[in-house]
Amino acid sequence: MTGSSRPDLLHRLAIQASEREHAGLRRRLRTIEHVEGPWLESGGRRLLGFCSNDYLGLAQHPQLIAALKRTADDEGVGSGSAHLICGHRREHAQLEEALAEWTGRERALLFSTGYMANLGAMQALLARDDVCVQDKLNHACLLDGAQLAGAELKRYPHADVEAAARQLRSRPQAAALLATDGVFSMDGDVAPLAALAALCTREHATLMVDDAHGLGVLGADGAGSVRAAGLGQNDVPVLMATLGKALGCSGAFVAGSAALIDGLLQFARPYVYTTAMAPALAAATCAAVEIARNDSWRREKLQSLIARFRVGAAQLGLPLMVSPSAIQPLLLGDAQAALEAALALEQRGVLVTAIRPPTVPQGQARLRITLSAAHEDEHIDQLLDALATLPKPVATGGPV
């Protein structure tokens, strides 16, 4: 009799899910029935949301909606094919040109998601004898991309440029990619990009920046953390950013030299073998790029709201982490404390997400508060009033 002792995969998965349940770390879906600006309806309740990545308040902008409707009327919904077959439409080409021009790159290439963009870029760039050096707080898709490419993954303590240098120097003969978030998705702080770029120049390594949370928010015209750091294509040869956060749409892109983009066209499997995004969505995103570039008041308003919130939080003695971005984490440490705080806020009509391990390290559970240009001053005050009712948290590091 063969295979009688083989483990059952579904049974094993069920055990792992049960263990996560017992640890108080089980993830659960929430259905949102309606959205109106920063207001969400869920379970029959109207909640003021502080957990969306719609940083510029563009997700419901009438110009985006009109562009999507107009193109859907003309072109239908699905693209029908992968880009390299017959799915690459005029709207995709126009969006790629707009993104390349905005970010100061020669070309850009669209992907269906940010996860796919990072996997595709790394799989095309890296080989098994290469080394990929990454910040320990990088987004999961950057870590997965290096591992799936088969390169040696070396991680350095958060924002520690000297430690990154030591990791690069430990493999002086290997082709090297240094990858970092521009704005870190759970901490909200900005990577030391200028120092990392200088390091990569000295060590002949390639720098890749995931600017999912910086595009649209940072820089004079919203071109992101790389532009805000005064860096260009030569300093950061590989730039990835998403279209579903500040731009209020969906998808992602990689931008860089013509040689980079042509290489991705040939070898990035998540691009080659995936149906292209809907042309109507590409048209809506093109409208979002134009608004994000030109409506500087949205960034100014967002910065004003961030400042108002941080001043109020400091007055309440709340242990905010150091963050200049729209992501304002309130560090609570204990996972159960974070979950209870989120539930207490919801009872007061405010929706904030509790972020627990394994998304963040053990002992660093937090409320991930995100602000948007769609919020008003009175919304910030409502949030602060709700936070003031929580039990006094014990800061475990990184206070204001």
Side-chain angles (χ1 to χ4, degrees):
M1 185 174 180
T2 62
S4 60
S5 62
R6 192 188 306 279
D8 182 275
L9 294 177
L10 295 181
H11 178 65
R12 185 175 70 189
L13 185 64
I15 291 173
Q16 292 169 336
S18 178
E19 291 171 347
R20 182 162 285 187
E21 173 79 48
H22 291 149
L25 300 175
R26 187 184 183 97
R27 297 174 170 126
R28 289 178 170 83
L29 282 172
R30 173 191 293 273
T31 299
I32 303 298
E33 290 124 19
H34 181 65
V35 177
E36 185 180 347
W39 295 94
L40 311 171
E41 291 182 14
S42 178
R45 295 192 64 203
R46 191 168 187 258
L47 302 169
L48 180 57
F50 288 94
C51 49
S52 169
N53 295 327
D54 182 22
Y55 301 131
L56 297 182
L58 294 181
Q60 294 183 302
H61 195 289
Q63 287 180 231
L64 274 65
I65 296 170
L68 186 142
K69 287 181 175 178
R70 183 172 58 251
T71 307
D73 285 341
D74 292 342
E75 302 294 334
V77 179
S79 64
S81 178
H83 283 279
L84 289 171
I85 299 178
C86 64
H88 192 67
R89 306 289 189 85
R90 172 185 57 196
E91 291 78 14
H92 299 130
Q94 290 171 342
L95 177 55
E96 288 176 342
E97 291 171 5
L99 291 167
E101 199 275 329
W102 188 22
T103 58
R105 265 66 188 165
E106 290 178 8
R107 287 178 61 189
L109 191 69
L110 292 176
F111 285 79
S112 296
T113 69
Y115 221 105
M116 292 174 63
N118 278 336
L119 295 187
M122 289 186 156
Q123 175 254 321
L125 286 166
L126 292 167
R128 292 199 174 272
D129 292 331
D130 299 338
V131 62
C132 185
V133 174
Q134 298 202 28
D135 192 295
K136 281 193 173 180
L137 296 188
N138 274 358
H139 192 273
C141 57
L142 286 172
L143 304 174
D144 290 354
Q147 292 175 324
L148 288 172
E152 181 182 5
L153 174 61
K154 288 180 170 287
R155 301 170 71 182
Y156 58 88
H158 181 49
D160 189 335
V161 179
E162 284 305 312
R166 290 192 295 272
Q167 296 284 35
L168 284 173
R169 291 166 188 155
S170 71
R171 293 284 309 278
Q173 302 305 315
L177 179 73
L178 193 155
T180 181
D181 284 6
V183 175
F184 290 88
S185 61
M186 292 297 125
D187 286 43
D189 59 336
V190 182
L193 295 178
L196 290 172
L199 168 63
C200 287
T201 297
R202 292 195 303 272
E203 295 296 325
H204 303 286
T206 298
L207 179 57
M208 175 177 179
V209 173
D210 176 336
D211 209 23
H213 298 274
L215 186 75
V217 177
L218 301 179
D221 65 347
S225 63
V226 173
R227 177 73 61 79
L231 304 174
Q233 179 177 295
N234 292 336
D235 308 297
V236 182
V238 186
L239 173 66
M240 190 286 288
T242 56
L243 310 173
K245 298 178 176 65
L247 293 180
C249 294
S250 182
F253 68 97
V254 176
S257 66
L260 168 69
I261 300 307
D262 185 61
L264 296 182
L265 275 169
Q266 309 308 316
F267 301 111
R269 292 166 66 88
Y271 176 85
V272 173
Y273 298 109
T274 299
T275 299
M277 72 164 64
L281 181 59
T285 311
C286 238
V289 170
E290 183 177 357
I291 295 168
R293 293 191 69 176
N294 296 326
D295 284 4
S296 59
W297 66 264
R298 294 178 183 273
R299 281 179 289 280
E300 294 164 3
K301 181 182 179 184
L302 179 59
Q303 289 303 317
S304 175
L305 295 170
I306 293 168
R308 186 183 187 92
F309 174 69
R310 290 191 68 84
V311 168
Q315 292 171 347
L316 294 174
L318 298 176
L320 282 187
M321 300 175 70
V322 178
S323 167
S325 74
I327 301 164
Q328 294 291 316
L330 178 58
L331 189 63
L332 300 179
D334 179 70
Q336 187 60 31
L339 189 60
E340 290 173 358
L343 291 172
L345 291 175
E346 185 171 345
Q347 289 303 310
R348 295 185 64 87
V350 174
L351 186 62
V352 177
T353 304
I355 304 295
R356 300 164 291 160
T359 302
V360 293
Q362 287 289 340
Q364 293 190 31
R366 72 217 34 203
L367 296 178
R368 183 182 182 269
I369 298 165
T370 55
L371 307 181
S372 167
H375 288 122
E376 303 295 343
D377 287 351
E378 56 264 32
H379 298 149
I380 303 301
D381 295 342
Q382 183 176 339
L383 171 62
L384 290 168
D385 288 344
L387 290 170
T389 68
L390 297 178
K392 190 73 171 179
V394 178
T396 56
V400 174

